[in-house]
Amino acid sequence: MSKTVRITALLLILLTVAVSAWKARVRTTEWTETLRVAVYPVSGDDSPVVDAYIAALKRPAFDAIAVFMRDQAQIHGLKLRAPVELYLAPRVAKKPPAPPDHGTPLAVIAWSLKMRWWAWRNEGFDGPRPHVRVFVQYYKPVAGIGLDHSIGLRQGMIVVANAFGSADNEGGNNVVIAHELLHTFGATDKYDPADNMPRHPDGFAEPDARPLFPQRLAEIMGGRIALAPGRAETPQSLDLAVVGPATAREINWISRP
């Protein structure tokens, strides 16, 4: 009997999570209200440098994301004054489950479910209930060392972003967070996973420019500024990024009467 009760309780919890996720996805396609985004800092390496950075972290460090979303939404005709508002949630002590390396579809699904369960268990926040939860794993900056890819899940509206724990890197961190945040709204990547080069035309900020190279800006889902065939650089702030028409269509940022 106890096993039946445990299974029933688990199914009810999963059903509640699924219904909540479905409601959140509906809101993001309608854009009738400002979406609340809670940012949870996590130490990715347990270093003293990152501990100190997180301890001093304030919400204004993420203001550029809300400004970027507002300005780009207005360009595409969205009437909502503020598409998103960001809150800084308490630090999360436990690290999120690592995604599978080159996993099978079943392994990816299992990890996604595990991630959603982990997020539910670690989402303590006294503010208004967020529509999107962004867990930012911070690492000590080391010259010449990059970070693993970040992840944005449409199912569950969860982001796991890898970032550098340094004020000097906040501009680049916000580019990563904004990219993954747009994934939760339905945007797709617009770069070639084989070499991370932006795909033309949808991954270019100015696909009709003549000459085509160098581009001045990055399309946010293209991820990088295309400088020449086979050469691109990562934007260091959202001032150097735009939401292109293809991405705007995917997240329903369309002109409205």
Side-chain angles (χ1 to χ4, degrees):
M1 180 63 70
S2 60
K3 181 178 180 181
T4 301
V5 171
R6 289 197 302 270
I7 292 175
T8 301
L10 179 58
L11 289 175
L12 287 174
I13 291 171
L14 290 175
L15 178 61
T16 300
V17 171
V19 170
S20 177
W22 174 78
K23 289 181 178 179
R25 290 198 303 274
V26 169
R27 291 190 184 98
T28 64
T29 58
E30 291 179 344
W31 294 105
T32 57
E33 62 176 309
T34 299
L35 301 180
R36 298 182 296 273
V37 179
V39 179
Y40 299 79
V42 184
S43 176
D45 58 13
D46 299 317
S47 68
V49 169
V50 169
D51 288 342
Y53 176 77
I54 292 177
L57 192 60
K58 305 296 183 184
R59 186 198 55 77
F62 307 100
D63 282 351
I65 299 172
V67 171
F68 173 77
M69 297 285 286
R70 180 199 67 199
D71 292 348
Q72 294 299 308
Q74 290 178 353
I75 288 172
H76 292 289
L78 193 73
K79 303 302 182 184
L80 186 62
R81 183 180 63 85
V84 302
E85 56 187 9
L86 281 83
Y87 299 84
L88 181 59
R91 173 177 177 166
V92 174
K94 295 183 178 179
K95 296 178 179 62
D101 292 328
H102 308 292
T104 63
L106 185 59
V108 172
I109 291 172
W111 170 81
S112 175
L113 291 173
K114 186 185 298 184
M115 182 65 226
R116 293 161 69 180
W117 174 260
W118 178 90
W120 180 74
R121 293 289 301 272
N122 292 277
E123 64 176 1
F125 177 48
D126 292 334
R129 183 166 182 79
H131 300 101
V132 186
R133 292 160 292 175
V134 177
F135 298 93
V136 184
Q137 292 193 113
Y138 287 104
Y139 295 84
K140 177 182 177 180
V142 178
I145 302 298
L147 297 173
D148 291 338
H149 278 294
S150 301
I151 297 172
L153 296 175
R154 179 76 167 136
Q155 299 292 331
M157 309 293 288
I158 297 168
V159 168
V160 179
N162 294 314
F164 289 115
S166 162
D168 292 340
N169 293 102
E170 286 175 355
N173 291 344
N174 285 337
V175 172
V176 172
I177 295 170
H179 175 101
E180 301 304 336
L181 184 61
L182 286 166
H183 273 314
T184 72
F185 300 151
T188 61
D189 284 325
K190 293 171 181 63
Y191 60 83
D192 187 339
D195 58 10
N196 292 328
M197 291 297 299
R199 295 197 310 263
H200 188 269
D202 292 342
F204 280 52
E206 299 172 302
D208 299 323
R210 295 292 181 269
L212 183 60
F213 300 102
Q215 293 277 298
R216 299 176 302 149
L217 305 168
E219 202 287 331
I220 188 67
M221 302 310 294
R224 303 171 76 191
I225 305 171
L227 301 177
R231 186 163 68 91
E233 66 180 13
T234 302
Q236 296 306 303
S237 82
L238 286 168
D239 292 335
L240 297 173
V242 300
V243 172
T247 298
R249 285 192 295 271
E250 288 174 338
I251 63 175
N252 203 29
W253 281 3
I254 56 176
S255 297
R256 303 179 182 196

